[in-house]
């Protein structure tokens, strides 16, 4: 989606360095320096009193305003680059340039001390994941008293090498001094390196002069020197001098403050910002009439029709937007996508597949045959028709008209192209991309001008400007309301949409500044209650443009909107704009991620009978209008695939007939029909007893004595035309498939005759590829429960079962005449493959396999989404919280000291991200030698109590032993159905077997579940203990995965035929089960592709 102009200022540098950025977007290159400004002026000599002459400069106000606008845009861009460089891993190491990078890591005793090593390793792993994995070649060295390298020479970057890098980082240990000179000598032996990333955390053993002299005497690549959490003046001076000598860059990071102390890149940007501000100062001086000793005249070029418009106030934010509105001519009346589809959708164009096929679709016919004593299905359809699954789940028999199906497919593609054009129109640069289509006749616009939006004030004003220009001119009436802490209306009531009113509201909005909180509920009250008082028959719409959740509770706002909009002819549409999400900072009390904000505001829009639109700096993320069109396109694609399956089935049936193979054997008369026609049997006058006696005699002569199924069974009367086979015979598989039926009739001599008829084996039902339906949002449940609903087996996508029917068996029988085993004749017709060591025939068509690949790809994307969800937020550290009553047991013994600060931060996120967001009643226990409770009982997760819980967590410290059993016993006392989340390293002051035994006894008395979270746990025995504890109580084991990147995982899963070992190894139950299901699905995808290629190759050979 294209970036609209209103947000185009917020560019991103990606991997472009600051030097390259300033070469293309600096003041000089863009023509924004003072010399360029002076070149726009015209100079004239003016005589003064006396004999002297002075110069006077002339410049148009439009040129000056345009120049000033470009300067503000450039300053904003430079500020964005500084913010981007100060986020994530770039804040620690800066932006690493070059394609062949050598990394030199200081592993001295000072830099790799106990309290610093874990943090350094974590940041290095992030550096590999975020920056180094995109390089062409890498070479890693560590230097202390000695220098060691991971490889003998630089290696090409690949997934295997990156994993080796991660393993190397985890094995770094302190090893003495800091011999930087020896490390540089080793690195410079590899001339192919173009960048050296030197991470220095302590004072080098050599002086600055010695190191700089060595760099001067040798041809060195560009040096990117980083002072990592270093306060040594000598080390900082060394870093700066190395960068200066080699023409590289330096970066100083302070972990204590969490900020960048100094950086070459940031200093260059600040210098450019300072230069731009100096030019702005000169522009202000020019407006005041002087530039140094030169007089300046700013000439106005305002058109005659706008003489009354004053442009005296040139504020920094509105200078670029102060021009009057350019009202565009009105076009056709717009409609929302749901209404548009009623006239242009598939049903409106009569493109519903089932409507097309209904006239040639027939239900299978079943009739009771008295002579057989059972219901028999018709078999004619198997020769002349194709079986097709209907929308209600039933199976129909179809006559397929190939030309009409192909014509229908062409019309479907035309309809899809029409839908795509509307999506492009909704996504074009303009007001539709921000506001959607404004369809109502009476419109009220609510603009969020809270203090949090000060950074986006220019964007919000421009968004309103293009709405006034493009969509409000043809409305009956309108009004604009802005809100922060207070609510301000442009007019008390709605006014007609004349050009004068549109110009007037634009002048009014430019004077409004962002200030205060976000009182959304008060603004909605003002708009909805004002509209209710009007009582107009015209449709009314309220369009809310905001950047976040309201200050009020979301449930209260939603309930109010639902009540007001249900009673009036009024719709509330919500437009959300979000910038870049900053996850590095600690979440505030009202913390909500962008996804949670979007979900809440989407519910608000739907409660108001309206539409939701989510916009970011890079384009549209979510839109109800576009989602409706995409849903219609997916339906059309599904219809197209079903048509392709019908065509493939028809072609397959034709090829089967050509090879002499029939779908079912025809029922032919036996040799009895070859004789002369027998006379009709004479009417019987025999008694029932005599008839039964003769029947028994006849059966005895043929050795087929009949016996009842039980001692209480009655002998069937003779008028029953069907005598079943003896029940005393064991019913084997062959006998079940081939039933024998006897028909009794009178012969000429008066005796009874019995006709034995063997009927063909019933045809097995062909297993079709089902169309799966998957949820869009995540369910809060364990992976085991989730896979019961959306696993491969439940969705009937197990490839091995699809090709394991009776018709797929490969038969080999011994032929006595040739004394060898020979395959059946049909085995040469169908391609054969091996499944688990067994030969199977492929009866699936290429179209069916294509449909299978399409459905599995859809399922793989859903699995990837689920896996990414499990690896984000607090779920990465603690897993999903399932219960509504929870007690968190935190181990604060001495062995947990290295990880307690990180745990406190992650637990804060857990409280707001899961407990508060899902209204979970909870409590917290900290245990070491003793157990400390935060509250005496479970409490509601209100804002105030969550803040108290965070404060209680932050004052915890580690000491003593680990009384795990006592903590579990205390947690069980909070009642039944409580979920205990045990966060520990598995080291207990009691034996593991004793804890497991005591927990089993407690489970007999109380109902509770223990979920174990392993933190800083490297002992296999402790991990197995935590697994046993969780599984014995019906809980889950979780361990934070290491070195996992959601973007890398998404990339791996997007290629189902990748030869790399797909996913990292997960220890936690939820992640492990989901990754196993993903591996299984990837295997099926590879096999399905290979099977399809085999079938196509076999058909090509037959065609030759």
């Amino acid at each position: 989606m294209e970036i609209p102009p209103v947000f185009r200022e917020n560019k991103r540098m990606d991997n472009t360095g600051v030097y390259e950025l300033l070469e293309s977007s600096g003041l000089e290159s863009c023509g924004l320096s003072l010399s360029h400004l002076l070149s726009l002026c015209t100079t004239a000599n003016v005589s003064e009193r006396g004999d002297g002459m002075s110069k006077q400069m002339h410049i148009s106000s439009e040129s000056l305003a345009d120049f000033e606008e470009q300067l503000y845009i450039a300053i904003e861009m430079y500020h964005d680059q500084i913010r981007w460089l100060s986020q994530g891993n770039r804040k620690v190491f800066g932006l690493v340039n070059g394609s062949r990078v050598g990394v030199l890591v200081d592993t001295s005793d000072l830099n790799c001390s106990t309290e610093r090593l874990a943090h350094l390793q974590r940041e290095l792993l992030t550096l590999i994941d975020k920056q180094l994995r995109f390089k062409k070649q890498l070479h890693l060295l560590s230097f202390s008293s000695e220098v060691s390298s991971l490889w003998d020479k630089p290696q090409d970057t690949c997934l295997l090498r990156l994993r080796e890098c991660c393993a190397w980082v985890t094995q770094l240990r302190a090893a003495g001094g800091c011999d930087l000179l020896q490390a540089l000598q080793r690195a410079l032996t590899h001339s192919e390196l173009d960048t050296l990333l030197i991470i220095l955390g302590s004072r080098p053993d050599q002086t600055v002069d010695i190191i700089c002299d060595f760099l001067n005497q040798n041809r060195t690549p560009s040096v990117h020197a980083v002072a990592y959490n270093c306060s040594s003046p000598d080390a900082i001076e060394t870093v700066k001098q190395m960068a200066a000598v080699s023409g590289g860059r330096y970066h100083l990071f302070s972990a204590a403050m969490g900020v960048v102390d100094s950086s070459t890149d940031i200093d260059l940007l600040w210098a450019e910002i300072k230069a731009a501000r100096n030019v702005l100062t000169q522009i202000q001086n020019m407006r005041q009439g002087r530039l140094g000793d030169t007089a300046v005249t700013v000439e106005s070029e305002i058109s005659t029709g706008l003489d009354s418009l004053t442009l005296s106030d040139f504020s920094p934010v509105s200078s670029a937007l102060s021009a009057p509105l350019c009202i565009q001519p009105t076009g056709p009346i717009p409609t929302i996508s749901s209404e548009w589809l009623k006239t242009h959708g598939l049903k409106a164009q009569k493109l519903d597949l089932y409507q097309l096929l209904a006239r040639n679709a027939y239900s299978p016919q079943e009739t009771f045959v008295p002579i057989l004593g059972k219901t028999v299905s018709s078999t004619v359809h198997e020769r002349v028709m194709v079986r097709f699954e209907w929308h209600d789940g039933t199976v129909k028999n179809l006559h397929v008209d190939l030309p009409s199906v192909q014509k229908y497919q062409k019309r479907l593609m035309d309809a899809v192209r029409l839908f795509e054009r509307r999506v492009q129109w909704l996504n074009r640069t303009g007001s539709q991309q921000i506001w959607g289509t404004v369809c109502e006749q009476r419109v009220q616009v609510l603009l969020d001008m809270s203090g949090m939006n000060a950074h986006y004030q220019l964007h919000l004003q421009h968004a309103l400007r293009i709405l006034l220009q493009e969509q409000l001119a043809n409305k009956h009436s309108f009004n604009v309301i802005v809100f922060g802490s207070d609510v301000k209306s442009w007019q008390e009531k709605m006014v007609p949409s004349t050009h004068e009113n549109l110009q007037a509201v634009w002048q009014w909005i430019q004077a409004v500044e962002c200030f205060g909180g976000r009182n959304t509920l008060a603004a909605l009250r003002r708009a909805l209650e004002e509209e209710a008082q009007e009582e107009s028959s015209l449709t009314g719409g309220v369009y809310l443009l905001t950047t976040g959740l309201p200050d009020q509770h979301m449930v209260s706002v939603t309930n109010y909107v639902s009540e007001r909009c249900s009673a009036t002819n009024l719709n509330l549409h919500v437009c959300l704009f979000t910038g870049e999400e900053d996850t590095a900072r600690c979440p505030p009390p009202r913390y909500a991620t962008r996804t949670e904000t979007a979900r809440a505001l989407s519910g608000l829009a739907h409660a108001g009978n309206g539409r939701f639109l989510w916009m970011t700096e890079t384009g549209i993320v979510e839109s109800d209008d576009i989602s409706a069109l995409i849903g219609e396109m997916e339906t059309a694609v599904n219809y197209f695939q079903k048509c392709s399956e019908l065509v493939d089935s028809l072609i397959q049936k034709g090829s089967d007939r050509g090879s002499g193979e029939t779908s079912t054997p025809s029922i032919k008369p036996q040799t009895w029909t070859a004789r002369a026609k027998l006379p009709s049997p004479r009417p019987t006058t025999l008694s029932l007893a005599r008839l039964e006696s003769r029947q028994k005699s006849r059966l005895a002569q043929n050795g087929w004595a009949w016996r009842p199924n039980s001692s209480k069974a009655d002998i069937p009367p003779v008028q029953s035309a069907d005598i079943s086979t003896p029940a005393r015979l064991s019913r084997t598989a062959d006998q079940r498939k081939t039933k024998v039926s006897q028909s009794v009739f009178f012969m000429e001599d008066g005796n009874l005759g019995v006709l034995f008829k063997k009927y063909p084996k019933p045809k097995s039902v062909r297993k079709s590829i089902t169309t799966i339906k998957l949820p869009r949002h995540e369910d809060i449940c364990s992976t085991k429960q989730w896979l019961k609903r959306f696993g491969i087996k439940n969705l009937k996508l197990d490839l091995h079962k699809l090709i394991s029917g009776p018709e797929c068996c490969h038969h080999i029988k011994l032929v006595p005449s040739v004394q060898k085993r020979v395959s059946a004749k049909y085995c040469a017709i169908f391609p054969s493959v091996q499944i688990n060591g067994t030969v199977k025939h492929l009866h699936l068509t290429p179209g069916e396999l294509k449909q299978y690949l399409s459905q599995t790809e859809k399922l793989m994307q859903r699995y990837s989404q689920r896996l990414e969800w499990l690896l984000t937020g607090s779920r990465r550290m603690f897993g999903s919280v399932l219960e509504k009553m929870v007690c968190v047991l935190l181990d604060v013994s001495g062995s947990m000291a290295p990880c307690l600060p990180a745990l406190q931060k992650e637990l804060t996120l857990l409280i707001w991200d899961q407990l508060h967001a899902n209204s979970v009643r909870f409590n917290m226990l900290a245990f070491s030698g003793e157990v400390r409770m935060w509250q005496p009982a479970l409490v509601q997760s209100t804002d105030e109590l969550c803040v108290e819980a965070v404060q209680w967590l932050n004052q915890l410290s580690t000491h003593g032993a680990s009384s795990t059993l006592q903590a579990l016993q205390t947690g069980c006392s909070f009642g039944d159905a409580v979920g205990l989340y045990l966060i520990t390293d598995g080291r207990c002051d009691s034996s593991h077997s004793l804890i497991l035994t005591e927990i089993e006894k407690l489970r007999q008395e109380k109902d509770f579940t223990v979920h174990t979270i392993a933190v800083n746990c490297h002992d296999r025995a402790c991990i197995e203990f935590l697994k046993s504890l969780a599984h014995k109580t019906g809980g889950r084991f979780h361990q934070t995965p290491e070195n996992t990147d959601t973007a890398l995982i998404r990339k791996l899963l997007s290629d189902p035929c990748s030869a790399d070992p797909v996913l990292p190894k997960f220890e936690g139950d939820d992640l492990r089960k989901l990754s196993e299901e993903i591996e299984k699905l990837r295997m099926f995808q590879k096999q399905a592709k290979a099977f399809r290629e085999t079938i196509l190759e076999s058909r090509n050979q037959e065609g030759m």
Side-chain angles (χ1 to χ4, degrees):
M1 298 181 179
E2 185 182 357
I3 303 174
V6 66
F7 303 125
R8 195 168 287 165
E9 297 90 346
N10 295 316
K11 301 176 183 176
R12 287 292 175 264
M13 197 179 342
D14 297 332
N15 291 326
T16 304
V18 173
Y19 290 110
E20 292 79 2
L21 174 74
L22 294 180
E23 286 179 1
S24 60
S25 302
L27 297 182
E28 288 291 340
S29 59
C30 293
L32 295 177
S33 63
L34 182 59
S35 59
H36 290 91
L37 175 62
L38 295 177
S39 66
L40 300 176
C41 302
T42 58
T43 306
N45 294 325
V46 179
S47 61
E48 294 183 347
R49 294 180 181 179
D51 299 331
M53 297 289 292
S54 66
K55 293 183 179 180
Q56 185 165 3
M57 302 174 63
H58 298 268
I59 186 171
S60 67
S61 60
E62 283 74 12
S63 300
L64 199 61
D66 183 66
F67 199 92
E68 186 181 28
E69 175 192 359
Q70 296 301 322
L71 279 174
Y72 279 115
I73 291 175
I75 291 174
E76 183 68 20
M77 182 184 66
Y78 299 150
H79 277 295
D80 283 345
Q81 306 310 331
I82 292 174
R83 280 190 290 270
W84 185 75
L85 287 170
S86 302
Q87 292 174 354
N89 189 254
R90 296 178 295 274
K91 177 175 65 175
V92 181
F93 299 107
L95 182 65
V96 181
N97 292 330
S99 59
R100 295 174 174 84
V101 181
V103 183
L104 284 66
V105 182
D106 177 8
T107 55
S108 61
D109 291 339
L110 182 59
N111 193 39
C112 292
S113 60
T114 305
E115 57 273 9
R116 289 167 58 105
L117 179 59
H119 188 272
L120 174 63
Q121 289 175 331
R122 183 165 61 251
E123 295 297 345
L124 287 174
L125 292 174
T126 309
L127 173 68
I128 294 172
D129 183 45
K130 298 298 183 183
Q131 298 195 56
L132 297 185
R133 68 189 182 99
F134 299 107
K135 307 302 180 182
K136 291 183 180 179
Q137 284 188 340
L138 291 177
H139 188 53
L140 274 64
L141 299 93
S142 63
F143 62 92
S144 52
S145 298
E146 299 292 337
V147 178
S148 64
S149 60
L150 176 59
W151 306 299
D152 294 335
K153 61 181 181 178
Q155 299 290 330
D156 293 337
T157 304
C158 63
L159 186 60
L160 178 61
R161 298 303 181 196
L162 291 175
R163 289 180 177 171
E164 291 178 358
C165 293
C166 294
W168 179 80
V169 169
T170 57
Q171 296 173 2
L172 291 178
R173 294 295 182 269
C178 180
D179 194 349
L180 176 58
L181 182 61
Q182 183 183 356
L184 288 172
Q185 292 171 347
R186 178 79 67 86
L188 293 182
T189 58
H190 305 290
S191 58
E192 60 267 35
L193 297 176
D194 57 15
T195 301
L196 288 183
L197 172 60
I198 303 173
I199 302 171
L200 193 64
S202 61
R203 185 178 64 85
D205 295 342
Q206 296 81 19
T207 63
V208 178
D209 296 335
I210 294 176
I211 294 174
C212 292
D213 289 342
F214 174 76
L215 293 177
N216 274 324
Q217 295 170 8
N218 294 273
R219 183 181 176 183
T220 58
S222 175
V223 173
H224 183 97
V226 178
Y228 172 77
N229 195 16
C230 180
S231 58
S232 171
D234 293 337
I236 294 174
E237 183 64 21
T238 302
V239 165
K240 292 183 176 181
Q241 290 298 327
M242 284 193 300
V245 169
S246 64
R249 296 172 298 143
Y250 69 89
H251 187 88
L252 311 181
F253 170 70
S254 173
M257 301 297 295
V259 296
V260 179
D261 287 339
S262 181
S263 170
T264 303
D265 290 342
I266 294 178
D267 290 346
L268 288 172
L269 291 170
W270 277 120
E272 203 73 6
I273 291 172
K274 184 178 180 180
R277 287 175 176 170
N278 290 335
V279 178
L280 287 173
T281 302
Q282 300 301 328
I283 290 176
Q284 296 300 326
N285 294 335
M286 294 173 70
R287 284 206 175 94
Q288 294 173 6
R290 303 293 298 181
L291 183 60
D293 297 332
T294 307
V296 179
T297 301
V298 179
E299 299 175 349
S300 176
E301 297 179 359
I302 303 177
S303 61
T304 306
L306 299 175
D307 287 340
S308 60
L309 185 63
T310 61
L311 298 174
S312 57
D313 294 329
F314 260 87
S315 65
V317 176
S318 60
S319 62
L321 304 175
S322 58
L325 298 178
C326 180
I327 308 299
Q328 298 182 5
T330 59
I333 300 176
T335 57
I336 62 175
S337 292
S338 58
E339 293 295 328
W340 185 84
L341 288 173
K342 290 181 181 180
T343 56
H344 300 86
L346 297 178
K347 289 187 178 180
Q349 299 184 51
K350 297 181 180 180
L351 291 178
D352 189 291
L353 177 62
Y354 301 102
Q355 291 179 356
L356 174 71
L357 300 178
R359 55 190 176 188
N360 292 325
Y362 303 91
S363 299
Q365 297 296 320
E366 294 183 348
T367 305
F368 181 79
V369 180
I371 195 171
L372 300 178
K374 64 178 181 181
T375 301
V376 177
S377 300
S378 61
T379 58
V380 177
H381 70 274
E382 296 182 355
R383 301 172 185 170
V384 297
M385 297 184 186
V386 176
R387 305 194 73 183
F388 183 76
E389 184 178 356
W390 214 245
H391 59 82
D392 57 357
T394 60
V395 177
K396 302 283 187 180
N397 304 318
L398 294 178
H399 282 292
V400 181
D401 183 9
L402 192 58
S404 64
V405 170
Q406 293 174 342
K407 182 179 179 181
Y408 171 75
Q409 287 180 310
K410 182 179 179 181
R411 292 183 60 199
L412 273 181
M413 296 309 298
D414 293 338
V416 170
R417 282 190 285 270
L418 176 63
F419 301 151
E420 289 176 346
R421 287 197 297 270
R422 180 168 175 87
V423 170
Q424 293 173 358
W425 177 75
L426 290 171
N427 194 32
R428 69 176 185 176
T429 300
S431 59
Q432 285 88 356
Q433 194 178 33
I434 304 172
W435 301 90
T437 53
V438 179
C439 307
E440 295 82 3
Q441 292 299 311
R442 297 169 56 83
V443 177
Q444 295 190 79
V445 180
L446 272 61
L447 198 60
D448 180 3
M449 298 291 284
S450 58
M452 290 172 282
N453 294 337
H455 178 65
Y456 298 114
Q457 182 172 343
L458 178 65
H459 307 143
L460 298 174
Q461 288 181 347
H462 187 87
L464 181 62
R465 177 186 175 91
I466 60 177
L467 176 67
L468 296 173
Q469 291 180 156
E470 297 178 4
Q471 299 200 60
L472 292 189
N474 61 344
K475 303 304 176 186
H476 177 270
S477 56
F478 79 103
N479 195 7
V480 176
I481 300 172
V482 299
F483 64 93
S485 299
D486 300 326
V487 180
K488 298 178 183 179
S489 298
W490 173 57
Q491 297 290 342
E492 292 298 326
K493 294 184 178 181
M494 301 179 71
V495 297
S497 298
T498 62
H499 285 210
E500 293 76 13
N501 287 333
L502 292 173
Q503 296 286 359
V505 72
W506 174 238
Q507 293 300 323
W508 175 78
I509 202 67
Q510 291 181 85
V512 178
E513 297 292 336
C514 294
F515 179 75
R518 187 182 286 122
N519 194 355
T520 309
L521 182 57
L524 290 172
R525 286 181 183 275
R526 177 78 61 88
L528 298 179
E529 292 173 5
E530 175 186 339
E531 180 68 22
Q533 293 174 1
E534 297 292 335
E535 296 183 357
S536 174
S537 60
L538 299 174
T539 57
V542 178
Y543 288 79
L544 168 64
L545 177 59
T546 183
T547 60
L549 294 177
D551 292 341
Q552 298 80 16
H553 200 280
M554 200 64 210
V555 176
S556 303
V557 180
T558 304
N559 291 339
Y560 170 76
V561 169
S562 177
E563 180 181 352
R564 297 298 302 181
C565 293
S566 60
T568 59
N569 185 22
L570 190 63
N571 303 321
L572 171 65
H573 310 282
V574 180
C575 307
L576 171 66
F577 169 69
T578 56
E580 184 177 357
E581 187 174 24
D582 185 9
T583 57
R585 61 180 177 84
C586 184
R590 294 291 296 170
Y591 171 74
T593 63
R594 293 194 299 177
T595 304
E596 293 168 345
T597 301
R599 187 177 300 179
L601 292 178
S602 175
L604 177 64
H606 297 159
N609 304 322
R611 292 162 289 138
F612 174 70
L613 189 146
W614 179 11
M615 179 78 181
T616 66
E617 298 172 355
T618 57
I620 295 177
V621 177
E622 182 178 346
S623 170
D624 289 347
D625 280 335
I626 295 178
S627 297
L629 294 169
I630 291 176
E632 197 77 357
M633 285 190 281
E634 289 178 348
T635 302
V637 171
N638 186 26
Y639 287 167
F640 191 92
Q641 291 177 347
K642 288 183 179 295
C643 290
S644 300
E645 293 174 12
L646 284 175
V647 173
D648 287 344
S649 300
L650 194 64
I651 295 174
Q652 178 70 20
K653 189 177 290 291
S655 63
D656 290 345
R657 291 197 189 105
S659 61
E661 191 91 6
T662 57
S663 58
T664 55
S666 59
I667 304 175
K668 297 182 179 179
Q670 303 294 330
T671 54
W672 302 94
T673 58
R675 300 178 183 180
K677 183 178 180 180
L678 296 176
S680 301
R682 61 186 179 183
T684 177
T685 56
L686 298 175
S687 64
L688 181 61
R690 184 178 177 185
L691 185 62
E692 292 174 354
S693 174
R694 291 198 175 189
Q695 180 181 355
K696 290 181 180 179
S697 175
R698 180 69 178 173
L699 291 174
Q701 292 176 4
N702 290 284
W704 288 89
W706 180 85
R707 295 182 183 179
N709 291 333
S710 65
S711 59
K712 297 182 180 180
D714 295 331
I715 298 176
V718 85
Q719 55 265 34
S720 174
D722 182 21
I723 301 178
S724 302
T725 55
R728 63 184 177 88
L729 299 177
S730 62
R731 294 177 58 83
T732 62
D734 292 336
Q735 289 173 334
R736 283 196 301 269
K737 292 181 181 179
T738 306
K739 295 182 179 180
V740 178
S741 176
Q742 305 171 5
S743 297
V744 182
F745 59 93
F746 284 102
M747 302 180 67
E748 292 182 351
D749 56 0
N751 296 324
L752 288 176
V754 180
L755 176 64
F756 293 89
K757 293 184 178 181
K758 181 183 288 187
Y759 289 89
K761 301 177 183 179
K763 183 178 177 64
S764 61
V765 179
R766 185 183 182 87
K767 298 178 181 178
S768 60
I769 310 299
T770 59
T771 301
I772 61 175
K773 294 182 179 180
L774 301 171
R776 295 181 58 186
H777 302 296
E778 298 297 343
D779 297 330
I780 301 177
C781 61
S782 65
T783 298
K784 182 179 180 181
Q785 295 170 336
W786 194 79
L787 288 178
K788 286 182 179 179
R789 298 167 54 198
F790 307 111
I792 299 173
K793 181 179 180 181
N794 183 268
L795 296 176
K796 299 180 181 179
L797 291 178
D798 192 320
L799 183 61
H800 293 175
K801 287 189 176 181
L802 290 174
I803 59 175
S804 296
E807 69 277 6
C808 300
C809 294
H810 177 67
H811 294 286
I812 300 178
K813 292 185 178 180
L814 178 65
V815 179
S817 60
V818 296
Q819 291 299 319
K820 66 177 181 179
R821 301 178 67 85
V822 180
S823 301
K825 290 183 178 181
Y826 69 84
C827 293
I829 300 175
F830 299 101
S832 59
V833 294
Q834 282 207 2
I835 301 296
N836 297 330
T838 305
V839 179
K840 296 289 184 180
H841 294 294
L842 292 176
H843 278 250
L844 294 174
T845 65
E848 289 174 329
L849 287 173
K850 183 178 180 181
Q851 169 72 359
Y852 176 82
L853 288 171
S854 173
Q855 297 302 314
T856 53
E857 181 62 28
K858 182 178 177 182
L859 183 60
M860 180 64 77
Q861 294 176 0
R862 188 62 185 86
Y863 282 170
S864 176
Q865 179 184 341
R866 177 80 179 182
L867 185 61
E868 185 176 354
W869 179 74
L870 290 174
L871 289 172
T872 55
S874 59
R875 290 175 293 273
R876 177 185 176 88
M877 174 69 81
F878 305 107
S880 300
V881 176
L882 309 182
E883 296 82 5
K884 286 297 182 181
M885 295 188 296
V886 167
C887 181
V888 179
L889 313 178
L890 178 60
D891 184 359
V892 291
S893 60
S895 59
M896 295 288 287
C899 55
L900 182 61
L903 269 178
Q904 289 171 330
K905 181 179 178 181
E906 294 292 340
L907 282 170
T908 301
L909 184 60
L910 171 69
I911 291 173
W912 294 110
D913 187 25
Q914 297 198 60
L915 303 183
H916 177 268
N918 300 326
S919 301
V920 177
R921 296 179 63 231
F922 76 106
N923 197 0
M924 308 191 77
L925 303 181
F927 65 93
S928 53
E930 58 183 6
V931 178
R932 287 173 286 171
M933 289 191 296
W934 168 55
Q935 296 286 345
L938 300 180
V939 296
Q940 297 291 342
S941 53
T942 61
D943 292 348
E944 295 78 10
L945 289 174
C946 288
V947 172
E948 289 183 13
V950 172
Q951 294 173 350
W952 183 79
L953 277 174
N954 291 333
Q955 55 86 29
L956 293 176
S957 60
T958 57
H959 64 280
S962 177
S963 54
T964 307
L965 180 57
Q966 184 181 356
L968 290 169
Q969 291 171 341
T970 306
C972 297
S973 63
F974 291 117
D976 289 338
V978 65
L980 305 181
Y981 286 77
L982 176 64
I983 305 171
T984 180
D985 58 0
R987 302 174 185 176
C988 314
D989 56 2
S990 304
S991 67
H992 293 167
S993 59
L994 175 62
I995 295 175
L996 294 175
T997 303
E998 292 297 326
I999 291 300
E1000 287 184 359
K1001 293 179 181 178
L1002 281 174
R1003 284 271 295 174
Q1004 297 175 359
E1005 301 174 0
K1006 295 183 179 181
D1007 181 20
F1008 63 90
T1009 304
V1010 179
H1011 305 277
T1012 55
I1013 296 101
V1015 179
N1016 194 27
C1017 183
H1018 306 289
D1019 187 355
R1020 199 65 206 173
C1022 294
I1023 293 177
E1024 294 301 326
F1025 159 67
L1026 293 176
K1027 286 184 178 181
S1028 300
L1029 178 60
H1031 297 162
K1032 283 182 179 294
T1033 58
R1036 295 161 298 137
F1037 169 76
H1038 183 83
Q1039 188 173 19
T1040 306
E1042 298 180 356
N1043 309 329
T1044 54
D1045 177 30
T1046 54
L1048 179 60
I1049 290 175
R1050 195 185 306 113
K1051 181 180 179 181
L1052 287 172
L1053 295 182
S1054 64
D1055 183 10
C1057 294
S1058 173
D1060 295 323
V1062 211
L1063 295 172
K1065 183 179 180 182
F1066 297 114
E1067 287 284 351
D1069 292 342
D1070 283 343
L1071 293 170
R1072 177 178 52 80
K1073 291 178 180 178
L1074 184 57
S1075 63
E1076 289 174 354
E1077 196 77 0
I1078 289 173
E1079 291 289 350
K1080 184 177 180 181
L1081 184 59
R1082 291 194 68 188
M1083 179 189 70
F1084 286 159
Q1085 286 180 317
K1086 292 178 183 179
Q1087 291 181 347
K1089 280 194 172 184
F1091 293 167
R1092 190 168 184 269
E1093 292 174 358
T1094 301
I1095 296 175
L1096 293 175
E1097 183 180 354
S1098 175
R1099 288 188 177 182
N1100 292 336
Q1101 292 177 355
E1102 291 177 1
M1104 296 173 61

